[in-house]
Amino acid sequence: MANTRVLHGFHAVTARLARQPGSVLELYVAKGRQDPRMAELLRQAETAGTRLIAADVGRLDGLAGHQRHQGVVAVIDASQQHVVLEEVLEDLKEPPLLLILDGITDPHNLGACLRVADAMGAHAVIAPKDKSVGLNATVSKVACGAAEVVPYIVVTNLARTLRDLKDAGVWIAGTDMDTETDLFHFNQTGPLAWVMGAEGHGMRRLTREHCDVLVSIPMFGSVESLNVSVASGICLAESRRQRVCAG
C-alpha cells in the first residue's frame, strides 16, 4: 500500500489508536490470544472501526520484519503523521522546549530519544531528512508509544530551520565536552532547542556554527562520553527542572 508503514507491539499500536485511530488501516493480531491485554486492545480497535485480521505467528513475523511484535502488528497511514513546526510553536502554552537530532541513523537511538523527549515534555523532535533514520517500526517499538505522541518533524534544510527558530526567539544550545559553560549553570527557562549530534561524529560543522551556545554535561565518573539518548534525557531533564523551580 502506498504511503503506509508498520507498527508492532502493544505500546506503539495502542498509542496510535488512542491518538489517531483513523490512521490505523489494518490490525493483525495473534490467533487464539485471549488475555486481558489483548482484549482491551481489541475493544479499542473495534471502537475505532479498525479492520481486524487474525493471523498466525509466521504472518505476524513477516509483517514485523521478524522483530519482537507481541502478537500485534498494525498497518497505518503514514501521511497522517505530517507535522509542521510553525503549528507546534503556535499552540504552545509555555516557552518552546525542542530536541534537534543531527545525523542520528540508529533506530534504537531515535526511539529512545523520542521516549525521553515525551517524558520531559519536549514539544517536538526535529531532524534533517538526509542522514537520519526516520520513523519506522523499530523506532516506534523502542519509543514505547512516544513516536505516536511527540511531534517528529523532518526538515529538508536543518541550517535554515535553525535560523528560523532563532528568528522566532528560540535559543539554540549544542553540547560540547570542551566548553566552559556547563549544564547546571546555564539558564534554560526561556525558549530553547537542544541540538544533539551522532555518537562519534557529533554535530556537523554548519549545525555547530548555528548554535547560540555550547554547553558541557558535567561528568563525575570514569566514562568519557554518553549515548545520544542519555545525553538528551539529561539535558531535557535539567531544562524541565529549571522551569519547574522557576514556577
Side-chain angles (χ1 to χ4, degrees):
M1 285 178 277
N3 208 16
T4 62
R5 67 182 179 92
V6 171
L7 297 180
H8 53 76
F10 278 99
H11 282 297
V13 174
T14 54
R16 171 62 66 146
L17 281 170
R19 186 171 177 82
Q20 293 180 288
S23 71
V24 183
L25 305 176
E26 296 175 337
L27 178 58
Y28 295 80
V29 296
K31 287 181 178 178
R33 181 166 175 174
Q34 299 176 338
D35 56 274
R37 195 177 192 188
M38 180 64 79
E40 174 58 25
L41 175 64
L42 294 178
R43 183 201 62 75
Q44 191 177 2
E46 289 168 359
T47 299
T50 303
R51 182 187 178 202
L52 291 168
I53 302 169
D56 58 30
V57 173
R59 188 174 188 188
L60 291 170
D61 286 345
L63 286 166
H66 299 279
Q67 300 289 322
R68 185 168 177 266
H69 50 69
Q70 301 173 296
V72 178
V73 179
V75 177
I76 68 167
D77 179 358
S79 67
Q80 295 195 30
Q81 188 76 8
H82 182 68
V83 182
V84 178
L85 179 58
E86 289 77 10
E87 294 177 355
V88 172
L89 297 177
E90 286 175 1
D91 294 336
L92 298 182
K93 302 296 191 295
E94 66 172 344
L97 178 58
L98 308 170
L99 177 62
I100 299 173
L101 302 174
D102 186 23
I104 306 303
T105 58
D106 185 330
H108 293 87
N109 282 339
L110 176 56
C113 285
L114 286 165
R115 193 171 181 178
V116 298
D118 178 48
M120 292 298 106
H123 301 114
V125 174
I126 302 168
K129 181 179 180 180
D130 296 329
K131 298 182 180 179
S132 295
V133 61
L135 291 182
N136 58 33
T138 300
V139 172
S140 294
K141 183 70 165 55
V142 173
C144 293
E148 317 315 314
V149 178
V150 179
Y152 182 69
I153 300 168
V154 178
V155 299
T156 56
N157 188 317
L158 183 57
R160 183 170 60 219
T161 298
L162 293 172
R163 289 194 297 269
D164 291 343
L165 286 170
K166 292 168 79 164
D167 290 343
V170 178
W171 198 251
I172 309 297
T175 54
D176 190 303
M177 296 304 295
D178 299 317
T179 181
E180 294 182 0
T181 303
D182 77 77
L183 180 68
F184 305 129
H185 295 87
F186 166 53
N187 188 332
Q188 302 169 46
T189 56
L192 179 65
W194 280 108
V195 185
M196 301 286 167
E199 299 94 330
H201 302 287
M203 293 178 286
R204 290 176 291 178
R205 178 188 58 80
L206 190 57
T207 303
R208 184 186 180 94
E209 290 175 356
H210 279 82
C211 291
D212 293 302
V213 63
L214 295 175
V215 179
S216 64
I217 300 174
M219 306 284 279
F220 301 98
S222 59
V223 298
E224 296 181 354
S225 63
L226 296 170
N227 174 278
V228 63
S229 63
V230 174
S232 297
I234 290 172
C235 292
L236 290 171
E238 175 60 15
S239 298
R240 183 55 63 185
R241 185 197 68 80
Q242 290 190 21
R243 291 180 177 211
V244 171
C245 290

